[in-house]
Amino acid sequence: MILTNITEADSLYNNLEEMSVRQLLENIHEEDKKILPAVHRTIPQIEMLVERVFERMEKGGRLFYIGAGTSGRLGILDASEIPPTYGVGYDLVIGLIAGGDNAIRKAVESAEDDEELGWQELQRFQVTELDTVIGIAASGRTPYVIGTVKRARGHGMLTGCICNNPNTELASCVDVAIEAIVGPEFVSGSTRMKAGTSQKMILNMITTSLMIKLGRVKGNKMVNMQLTNQKLILRGTRMIMEELGYDEAKAHRLLLLHGSVNKVLHAARNEKE
């Protein structure tokens, strides 16, 4: 069976080296405009996946991203930003990349071709049926990702994928497939561009929605963020001032005392009761 391989299709533009810088930038931007409609078409699938992941997370489940190359790095980026932003543990959303941590900065050749490697790495986390595995692969053909989601699904875990080709082998192996068809890349086959951008957007949508539904946001504020630098301490101080009407000195003191905006709000609520 011959599968449609849009991610490897020739660019709609030719003789790129003959273009001026302005022409290059404008043409790249024209291609980027195609990303938003492609992501929008996947919202029903993203919704289905988020709702099912949320059900499992409420019971103690975790979310794992599996990818290689750019896709793997994007999964790790998203996972690494959840704890400081929402004050959850580093074991709630976990990103794994073919070739291990060394592959975050440098390509590890052939690692993505090993169908067993990803599942072996998942075993270190003592995965259960409450956990979810989302495979990320622009092509939808990466053996490392396909092998992992197959094994995970076979062990009763919820599985999903994010890819940029239609009707792929990866999509056929998961419970919920998200296929963002963004078209050929400006530089033929360079999926770090439109495909990667669409993946990043979808990952943002998944984890942001999950954290909100898990109660890690109040109103529109990151009330559980970790106070890891002065900028975030100032942001937290302003939140408390706005929510409770305290002056800056009092808000700052209580924030450092309790360790998070949410804990200050809870303490203030308890005082009133």
Side-chain angles (χ1 to χ4, degrees):
M1 179 174 64
I2 299 176
L3 299 176
T4 304
N5 199 0
I6 295 172
T7 56
E8 292 295 327
D10 277 348
S11 171
L12 302 179
Y13 304 79
N14 205 351
N15 301 317
L16 304 187
E17 70 278 11
E18 297 176 10
M19 293 182 185
S20 67
V21 171
R22 183 61 175 263
Q23 288 174 319
L24 289 169
L25 297 176
E26 289 185 345
N27 289 332
I28 290 171
H29 186 58
E30 282 302 308
E31 287 304 298
D32 285 346
K33 291 178 183 178
K34 300 174 182 178
I35 300 170
L36 284 176
V39 172
H40 185 263
R41 288 190 289 270
T42 70
I43 286 179
Q45 290 72 43
I46 300 172
E47 176 188 21
M48 186 185 309
L49 183 57
V50 168
E51 287 180 343
R52 296 181 67 178
V53 176
F54 173 60
E55 291 173 359
R56 286 160 174 77
M57 279 191 163
E58 279 196 305
K59 300 173 183 176
R62 299 163 293 175
L63 173 58
F64 291 87
Y65 294 135
I66 301 290
T70 297
S71 297
R73 294 182 190 101
L74 288 171
I76 289 172
L77 172 63
D78 190 71
S80 68
E81 291 177 340
I82 300 307
T85 305
Y86 297 107
V88 298
Y90 281 89
D91 58 351
L92 183 62
V93 182
I94 299 166
L96 298 178
I97 185 172
D101 287 351
N102 288 337
I104 297 172
R105 291 183 177 274
K106 296 181 180 180
V108 178
E109 301 299 335
S110 78
E112 69 176 60
D113 295 327
D114 190 332
E115 284 197 17
E116 299 299 322
L117 184 59
W119 179 249
Q120 292 170 8
E121 292 170 344
L122 273 182
Q123 299 314 292
R124 295 189 286 112
F125 297 92
Q126 300 179 320
V127 290
T128 74
E129 292 184 2
L130 289 177
D131 295 324
T132 301
V133 175
I134 297 178
I136 314 169
S139 67
R141 296 182 290 114
T142 308
Y144 172 83
V145 178
I146 292 171
T148 306
V149 298
K150 279 183 177 179
R151 295 291 293 275
R153 194 179 189 188
H155 283 76
M157 300 168 68
L158 175 65
T159 56
C161 74
I162 303 169
C163 56
N164 301 97
N165 279 324
N167 307 314
T168 63
E169 182 180 358
L170 175 58
S172 72
C173 297
V174 301
D175 298 296
V176 183
I178 300 168
E179 300 170 310
I181 312 304
V182 295
E185 298 289 359
F186 181 70
V187 175
S188 299
S190 181
T191 53
R192 61 180 286 272
M193 301 183 75
K194 287 192 298 182
T197 300
S198 72
Q199 292 171 6
K200 172 60 176 166
M201 292 175 67
I202 292 167
L203 292 170
N204 285 348
M205 294 165 77
I206 290 171
T207 45
T208 302
S209 298
L210 284 169
M211 293 302 109
I212 292 170
K213 298 306 291 184
L214 287 168
R216 310 306 295 180
V217 171
K218 177 177 173 55
N220 58 16
K221 302 293 195 299
M222 299 182 293
V223 294
N224 289 286
M225 64 185 179
Q226 295 177 1
L227 306 176
T228 53
N229 57 49
Q230 288 300 314
K231 177 189 72 176
L232 297 180
I233 292 172
L234 289 173
R235 182 187 298 167
T237 300
R238 287 196 301 271
M239 289 183 195
I240 294 168
M241 292 168 66
E242 291 170 5
E243 287 288 330
L244 300 176
Y246 295 164
D247 62 37
E248 183 175 358
K250 182 176 181 179
H252 183 266
R253 177 176 59 79
L254 289 174
L255 178 62
L256 297 183
L257 175 65
H258 291 281
S260 77
V261 174
N262 200 32
K263 289 179 180 178
V264 174
L265 299 181
H266 276 297
R269 192 178 303 120
N270 291 336
E271 287 179 5
K272 292 179 180 179
E273 292 178 355

